[in-house]
Amino acid sequence: MITDSSRRGLAVAAVLGAALIWSSSFAVTKVVLAEVPPMTLGALRFVLAALILAVAVHAGPERRRLPAPRERLFIGLAGLLGITAYFALENVGVDLASASDATLIVASYPILTLVLSGRTVFSPVRLTGMLVAVAGVWLVVRGDGSHSLWGDVFLIAGGVAWAAYNLLARRDGSGASPIVVTYYQTLAGAAGFVLLSLSEVDRWSVPSGANVLRIGFLAGLCSVAGFLLYNHGLRRLEASVAVNLLNVVPVAGLGWAVVLAGERLTLVQVLGGAVVIAGVTLGLHRRKNVASGAPPAPKATSASQ
């Protein structure tokens, strides 16, 4: 028998899996952006991801359990926030801001989610954990001194969009499986990016073979697998907890830098990674009267609420 504690543990593992996958996307995206403009890259990435998911959904048993049209609209709205809005703002922000600014602002997303949620259990220990995680990320990236105000503005706006996505996605009452939800979110997000990419038509060119493979990696692993894992975990976790777990992304990103790029870690970066992990652990804390039960599941009613 699977207990509530086991379900929560599996949800945490799913979100951590998504974080580890997403941590590999920054370096790949940076390479592709040298040849493909940001909105066009988003369109290529998520159109391909939507095609992969369409085959999985419509060719499998999930085709008999698709949400109603009204519910699809709700799921699609979440996709516009979590895919089109967030990734568009992130791509532009990372392009304009320094790596340290980007990482620090991304680490603040759990606090943005906590502030915007209103209904999330406000635990001083949890908030302390989030602040500790932010401090750890600062240690990781403190060596980069470049700065861009407009880049910071875009990244903060991206944080608001991501927080809104988390809060909206948890209100989905369709009862659809994570793969179906991810499919309709990705379909809406891809449509939004196709429209945005039209502003870059004068910069379009045929990408190199290597970048085609990188775009495939971003679509198949980072978009499809990552969002499937994240949406699965989000069903059993509070939004602020799920986003707090994503603080491991910059730490894991350092690991990818060592393995793939041969970079060396400093003692301060290692210390910062340890502090991030400690902060994430604190961020998982729940008060005893809350921890005794599972977090509320999405209501099995119309998603139009």
Side-chain angles (χ1 to χ4, degrees):
M1 179 178 178
I2 300 179
T3 64
D4 288 338
S5 177
S6 297
R7 290 191 182 95
R8 180 176 169 83
L10 290 172
V12 169
V15 174
L16 284 175
L20 292 174
I21 290 172
W22 287 337
S23 69
S24 67
S25 71
F26 296 107
V28 177
T29 298
K30 184 174 181 180
V31 172
V32 179
L33 282 173
E35 184 180 24
V36 182
M39 300 304 117
T40 302
L41 172 57
L44 292 171
R45 170 179 176 176
F46 289 105
V47 165
L48 180 56
L51 290 174
I52 295 171
L53 288 166
V55 172
V57 169
H58 292 291
E62 300 294 343
R63 68 182 185 276
R64 294 190 288 270
R65 297 189 293 273
L66 299 180
R70 200 174 180 184
E71 293 169 334
R72 296 178 197 178
L73 288 175
F74 185 91
I75 296 171
L77 178 59
L80 288 174
L81 280 172
I83 294 178
T84 306
Y86 170 70
F87 281 99
L89 291 165
E90 181 193 72
N91 282 353
V92 176
V94 170
D95 189 42
L96 295 175
S98 67
S100 60
D101 284 351
T103 309
L104 283 171
I105 292 170
V106 169
S108 72
Y109 286 2
I111 298 175
L112 285 174
T113 303
L114 181 64
V115 170
L116 292 177
S117 67
R119 293 186 299 177
T120 301
V121 177
F122 190 93
S123 165
V125 175
R126 176 176 292 173
L127 181 56
T128 299
M130 293 177 181
L131 294 174
V132 168
V134 172
V137 174
W138 178 81
L139 286 174
V140 169
V141 301
R142 62 192 291 268
D144 187 347
S146 57
H147 182 82
S148 171
L149 177 60
W150 279 112
D152 293 350
V153 170
F154 277 106
L155 288 164
I156 292 170
V160 174
W162 184 252
Y165 162 74
N166 278 270
L167 301 174
L168 185 64
R170 277 189 56 82
R171 296 187 63 185
D172 169 35
S174 66
S177 67
I179 190 171
V180 171
V181 171
T182 303
Y183 167 56
Y184 284 110
Q185 286 182 356
T186 304
L187 194 62
F193 261 120
V194 167
L195 292 175
L196 291 175
S197 70
L198 296 177
S199 65
E200 300 172 337
V201 65
D202 59 328
R203 300 170 60 190
W204 286 358
S205 62
V206 178
S208 65
N211 277 336
V212 168
L213 292 177
R214 293 185 182 101
I215 293 169
F217 172 84
L218 290 171
L221 198 61
C222 297
S223 295
V224 176
F227 267 89
L228 280 174
L229 288 169
Y230 190 75
N231 279 332
H232 175 78
L234 193 59
R235 290 184 168 212
R236 302 295 306 179
L237 298 172
E238 298 90 337
S240 59
V241 172
V243 180
N244 189 47
L245 286 167
L246 297 184
N247 274 318
V248 304
V249 168
V251 180
L254 287 177
W256 286 113
V258 171
V259 173
L260 301 178
E263 296 181 3
R264 292 185 177 183
L265 295 181
T266 67
L267 180 60
V268 172
Q269 287 175 316
V270 173
L271 176 62
V275 173
V276 169
I277 294 172
V280 168
T281 302
L282 283 175
L284 287 171
H285 172 80
R286 294 188 295 175
R287 294 185 305 201
K288 290 183 179 179
N289 61 334
V290 176
S292 59
K299 296 180 181 178
T301 58
S302 171
S304 61
Q305 60 185 331

